Amino acid sequence: MNNSKQSNRLIRLCVVAGDFLVLWLVLYFCVDLISGYEQWNYEKRAEFWMLSTMALLIAELRFSTIIDRWQVGADAILKRVTMLTGTQALLFYLMLRAVHFLSRIGWQVLLMGLLLCVILMLLRLGERLLVKRLRRLGYNSRSITLVGSNQGLQQLTEKLLHNPTLGYRVCGRYENPAEFAAQIDHPDQLQLGDELYLCVSRLERTIIERTMQLCNQRMVKFYYVPPVEETLKLQPVFIDDIEVMTPYISPLDDTLNRFLKRLFDIVISIVALVFTALLFPFVYVIIKMQSPGPVFFRQLRTGIAGHEFNCIKFRSMHVNADSDSLQATKDDPRKFPFGNFIRKTNIDELPQFWNVLCGDMSIVGPRPHMLAHTEQYSHLINKYMVRHFVKPGVTGWAQVTGFRGETRELWQMEGRVERDIWYIQHWSLWLDIRIIWMTIKTVFRTDANAY
């Protein structure tokens, strides 16, 4: 455990040192952008560099790197960099104002902050690859002890060990928890790692408590893994000081988060509608040339809390009587050539930003389904209606992770529902931005399921 902690401290130290080196390089190459910099005396230049360095030092205390953690995603690392550089730039500007720095350099500070952010993001990706490489070679690893043989523990073990870059290795495995507990009085005979995972029935309180006590004494992190047959996917919430359990908790239950998401929706939808208005004359002419009928396609779909609303799209099919009951297929004869193109590139979805502006939809969320499918799948999939706890979206997590398009088999809809529920439980503005970016990329890289 001491070796892994020491290597983690060394990794953090190197990364933080690299941050300051990058800051100084940015200052060195960007100070010439400041009008009159060449006329500053030594004291003024030293004050400028010192305040910038001090701002980064304070920012590092709050948003230091998390690249050394064993399980952390690239999105969390990049978010941390954004917070770090944003805090540094803001503090730097406020410090300059506080000491009555005479030069007007607000936009230069912003530019240097943006440049610092971009460089550190690229640097973090490289550092992350280096850390993974070290762990693959066996360095900076974290040892674990496994107690129990239940399927739940096996699934967790496979998840921890399937990727060597996570840095986990097993140093002790005890399939019989009772025999393990019998050896607790002689801990030197046990193979204890940095973390211990215990999987026994909740009724085995003595084994659980004794194992926890051993871990506390030996400074080993303890984790309890419920057996599969006892696992209830419930999460704690508090009503005043009383703890109750619920199967679904979403960050969007918070009023502030809903406000931020709505504000984000309004701003982006206005920008998107301006782009749609510029594109509309061309879309109008081509649709009219290839297929008689209206330019827009309106269809009742299921929205938040099961409420129905009219979803608006550019029409991509010939007018037909089956539009409210049949999904589009790969070689659907109802599609006309330009309609097929706008479906593959998501252009047909652009009018839905009007639904977003009106409040019926969000930019990101579970895709709204036609009423016939809501009726059908609500009886076939137990958790299907959970996806309606939030507003439907123009795009969604399911669509950018392989569950876009036709659902010919039940498992495809089940996979879509699982990803929709995952999104609801893990929502953040960063996740929305990530999904939007992944959706934009499909315009240039055609999705095989987009038809």
Side-chain angles (χ1 to χ4, degrees):
M1 179 168 60
N2 289 334
N3 289 335
S4 64
K5 285 188 175 180
Q6 289 174 0
S7 61
N8 273 10
R9 283 196 291 267
L10 179 60
I11 290 172
R12 285 196 298 271
L13 180 62
C14 291
V15 171
V16 171
D19 292 349
F20 282 96
L21 179 60
V22 170
L23 171 67
W24 295 331
L25 288 173
V26 169
L27 290 176
Y28 178 79
F29 287 105
C30 291
V31 288
D32 289 336
L33 296 175
I34 302 175
S35 177
Y37 177 79
E38 66 280 355
Q39 299 175 4
W40 291 3
N41 57 30
Y42 174 80
E43 288 77 11
K44 189 171 184 178
R45 295 186 181 191
E47 183 180 34
F48 181 80
W49 282 65
M50 181 187 68
L51 291 177
S52 180
T53 303
M54 187 179 301
L56 180 60
L57 178 62
I58 297 173
E60 290 279 3
L61 294 176
R62 178 62 183 86
F63 298 108
S64 185
T65 180
I66 54 176
I67 201 170
D68 57 298
R69 296 182 184 177
W70 273 270
Q71 295 193 45
V72 60
D75 54 340
I77 293 173
L78 297 182
K79 177 181 177 181
R80 193 84 168 186
V81 170
T82 304
M83 298 302 296
L84 173 70
T85 54
T87 302
Q88 189 274 341
L90 178 61
L91 288 176
F92 184 30
Y93 179 74
L94 293 177
M95 287 178 177
L96 291 173
R97 294 295 300 271
V99 298
H100 304 292
F101 208 82
L102 297 180
S103 299
R104 294 184 177 181
I105 54 174
W107 72 269
Q108 291 95 332
V109 169
L110 176 60
L111 178 62
M112 287 188 287
L114 291 173
L115 183 59
L116 178 65
C117 182
V118 172
I119 295 176
L120 287 187
M121 282 186 176
L122 296 175
L123 186 62
R124 285 291 189 275
L125 294 177
E127 292 164 345
R128 187 168 185 253
L129 292 175
L130 179 60
V131 170
K132 284 188 173 185
R133 177 64 177 170
L134 289 173
R135 288 173 179 169
R136 189 181 290 274
L137 296 175
Y139 301 102
N140 190 236
S141 61
R142 195 160 181 81
S143 58
I144 58 176
T145 302
L146 306 171
V147 183
S149 59
N150 188 271
Q151 182 183 354
L153 185 61
Q154 293 174 358
Q155 292 174 348
L156 176 64
T157 305
E158 291 173 2
K159 187 170 185 179
L160 292 176
L161 302 181
H162 85 286
N163 186 350
T165 61
L166 293 178
Y168 282 96
R169 60 182 177 84
V170 176
C171 74
R173 189 187 297 266
Y174 302 87
E175 295 188 357
N176 191 323
E179 292 182 1
F180 175 83
Q183 300 180 57
I184 287 180
D185 293 331
H186 306 283
D188 293 334
Q189 300 177 7
L190 296 174
Q191 296 174 312
L192 297 178
D194 301 308
E195 300 173 1
L196 185 146
Y197 295 84
L198 172 66
C199 183
V200 294
S201 170
R202 288 184 175 89
L203 300 177
E204 300 287 352
R205 293 185 60 88
T206 301
I207 295 178
I208 296 174
E209 290 175 356
R210 293 196 68 196
T211 304
M212 289 175 60
Q213 184 178 11
L214 170 68
C215 290
N216 291 338
Q217 293 172 347
R218 301 296 292 266
M219 293 183 295
V220 175
K221 293 195 72 173
F222 172 82
Y223 295 95
Y224 173 70
V225 183
V228 171
E229 59 272 12
E230 294 184 10
T231 302
L232 290 175
K233 294 184 178 180
L234 299 177
Q235 302 176 65
V237 294
F238 286 89
I239 300 176
D240 197 4
D241 59 346
I242 300 175
E243 184 181 41
V244 296
M245 308 294 286
T246 181
Y248 304 107
I249 296 178
S250 173
L252 290 172
D253 293 335
D254 183 79
T255 303
L256 178 59
N257 286 338
R258 289 199 302 273
F259 170 77
L260 291 175
K261 185 172 176 64
R262 180 60 183 151
L263 182 62
F264 180 78
D265 284 344
I266 291 173
V267 172
I268 300 300
S269 62
I270 290 175
V271 175
L273 286 171
V274 171
F275 173 76
T276 305
L278 296 175
L279 198 63
F280 178 76
F282 304 98
V283 175
Y284 177 89
V285 170
I286 299 175
I287 290 179
K288 286 293 187 180
M289 289 176 58
Q290 295 191 1
S291 177
V295 174
F296 295 107
F297 171 71
R298 292 177 173 83
Q299 184 181 65
L300 279 176
R301 297 198 178 185
T302 309
I304 186 171
H307 297 305
E308 300 173 3
F309 72 99
N310 269 305
C311 182
I312 309 172
K313 302 173 67 174
F314 283 129
R315 185 168 59 87
S316 59
M317 293 184 175
H318 297 297
V319 177
N320 64 91
D322 298 321
S323 59
D324 290 331
S325 58
L326 292 181
Q327 285 183 302
T329 58
K330 187 172 184 179
D331 299 311
D332 201 315
R334 296 175 295 171
K335 293 185 291 185
F336 52 89
F338 183 66
N340 192 48
F341 168 76
I342 62 176
R343 291 180 72 93
K344 286 181 176 292
T345 56
N346 294 313
I347 293 175
D348 66 320
E349 311 283 1
L350 289 176
Q352 290 176 38
F353 285 102
W354 178 255
N355 290 119
V356 174
L357 192 61
C358 293
D360 294 322
M361 294 179 64
S362 181
I363 294 175
V364 180
R367 283 294 295 156
H369 292 163
M370 63 180 72
L371 302 187
H373 279 175
T374 300
E375 176 66 20
Q376 175 188 357
Y377 288 112
S378 63
H379 296 294
L380 296 176
I381 301 175
N382 181 43
K383 297 183 288 185
Y384 179 83
M385 295 304 291
V386 174
R387 65 197 302 277
H388 301 104
F389 283 171
V390 299
K391 290 180 182 179
V394 177
T395 185
W397 181 241
Q399 282 62 48
V400 298
T401 54
F403 283 83
R404 181 187 177 190
E406 185 184 7
T407 51
R408 288 172 290 183
E409 299 182 30
L410 184 62
W411 68 266
Q412 293 172 307
M413 183 60 78
E414 289 174 336
R416 181 180 292 185
V417 171
E418 288 292 338
R419 280 160 174 75
D420 288 339
I421 293 175
W422 184 91
Y423 167 79
I424 292 171
Q425 294 180 303
H426 296 83
W427 174 87
S428 70
L429 278 179
W430 289 98
L431 180 59
D432 277 2
I433 293 171
R434 178 184 176 188
I435 293 171
I436 291 170
W437 170 242
M438 293 172 72
T439 303
I440 292 173
K441 288 195 297 185
T442 63
V443 175
F444 307 99
R445 184 180 58 196
T446 304
D447 188 341
N449 295 321
Y451 48 80

